[in-house]
Amino acid sequence: MTKGAAGTPRRYRSALRARQVEQTRQEVLDAAVDLFARNGWARTTVGAIATEAGVAVETVYSGFGSKKALLRAAMDVAIVGDADPVPLVEREPYRKLSAEPPDRRLRGAIAIAGQIYSGPVSRLWRALNEAAAGDPEVAQWCTELEAGRRTTMSEMLELVYGRQADDRTVDIVWGLVSIETYTKFCIECGWTTEQWQDWAVEAVQLFAGRP
């Protein structure tokens, strides 16, 4: 058997092991998203996440380091749907909006936000803020996530209107198209996601104008 042939089983086992590790990581993340969204920060334990994912507690810690790091990773997954380090504005649904007429870009962008908020994101955001109350590092993560969302709002306005929006307009849209407004209207007041989207489109147009 040649050296290359001898190495083939090792390469195969290595690739198989990598796939198994990635699959385990995804199962842990799925369990974390579900439990943090359902039970919040304090009532969710690493042991419960491990049990839900069918792995040992040590596997969770070796993959993520800490409970709060797992919560942060779960939030990232809930926002974009996977663990790949690709920003929302660079993903296919968002990029496709550039091919739409300007008047449809705003509604399409708001629909993407509504789709995200209607999942576990709003409840994970509540869990993050719960954790942030007693942990400065998590509080800093919340600040960073909100800064990132503001940047996304600025990029969305530029995509829709074909020009960079002024800071005041970005601030207003950042406040309007937020997890908090979605939570107030859809969870506390019983609106549908579609009703919130219609309102958000009208609200943005009120302050930024029609595309």
Side-chain angles (χ1 to χ4, degrees):
M1 181 179 291
T2 65
K3 184 176 180 180
T8 299
R10 287 195 294 271
R11 289 197 299 272
Y12 173 79
R13 287 194 296 271
S14 178
L16 178 61
R17 175 60 181 162
R19 289 196 298 271
Q20 290 171 336
V21 169
E22 181 58 34
Q23 178 65 29
T24 297
R25 181 178 177 82
Q26 188 61 54
E27 289 169 353
V28 171
L29 281 170
D30 289 344
V33 168
D34 178 52
L35 291 177
F36 280 129
R38 185 155 26 111
N39 300 326
W41 166 253
R43 293 175 56 210
T44 298
T45 65
V46 173
I49 292 170
T51 299
E52 182 81 6
V55 301
V57 170
E58 292 76 12
T59 300
V60 178
Y61 280 116
S62 66
F64 296 92
S66 66
K67 177 182 171 181
K68 65 183 181 182
L70 180 53
L71 175 60
R72 173 64 189 266
M75 184 65 171
D76 290 341
V77 167
I79 291 172
V80 296
D82 57 55
D84 295 338
V86 180
L88 176 64
V89 294
E90 295 179 15
R91 290 175 177 265
E92 189 63 22
Y94 206 98
R95 289 172 52 206
K96 287 171 66 175
L97 292 177
S98 61
E100 297 285 349
D103 61 329
R104 294 179 61 181
R105 292 176 192 170
L106 175 58
R107 184 164 293 278
I110 296 297
I112 291 173
Q115 183 179 21
I116 292 171
Y117 294 165
S118 65
V121 164
S122 59
R123 287 166 289 152
L124 286 171
W125 180 242
R126 186 165 61 243
L128 265 170
N129 280 276
E130 180 189 349
D135 191 314
E137 186 177 20
V138 180
Q140 180 59 34
W141 292 346
C142 290
T143 299
E144 292 169 358
L145 284 166
E146 279 294 89
R149 192 176 63 80
R150 187 185 184 282
T151 298
T152 298
M153 291 298 105
S154 178
E155 293 170 342
M156 181 270 285
L157 289 169
E158 186 171 358
L159 172 67
V160 171
Y161 292 95
R163 64 182 185 278
Q164 188 171 8
D166 62 87
D167 286 344
R168 182 175 182 276
T169 300
V170 175
D171 288 344
I172 291 171
V173 173
W174 175 59
L176 290 171
V177 188
S178 66
I179 296 174
E180 285 78 10
T181 62
Y182 181 89
T183 299
K184 286 288 186 184
F185 293 153
C186 295
I187 296 179
E188 296 181 21
C189 297
W191 287 22
T192 65
T193 297
E194 290 72 23
Q195 287 174 318
W196 177 84
Q197 289 170 185
D198 290 342
W199 169 85
V201 168
E202 293 175 0
V204 172
Q205 289 175 340
L206 178 65
F207 290 97
R210 291 186 173 275

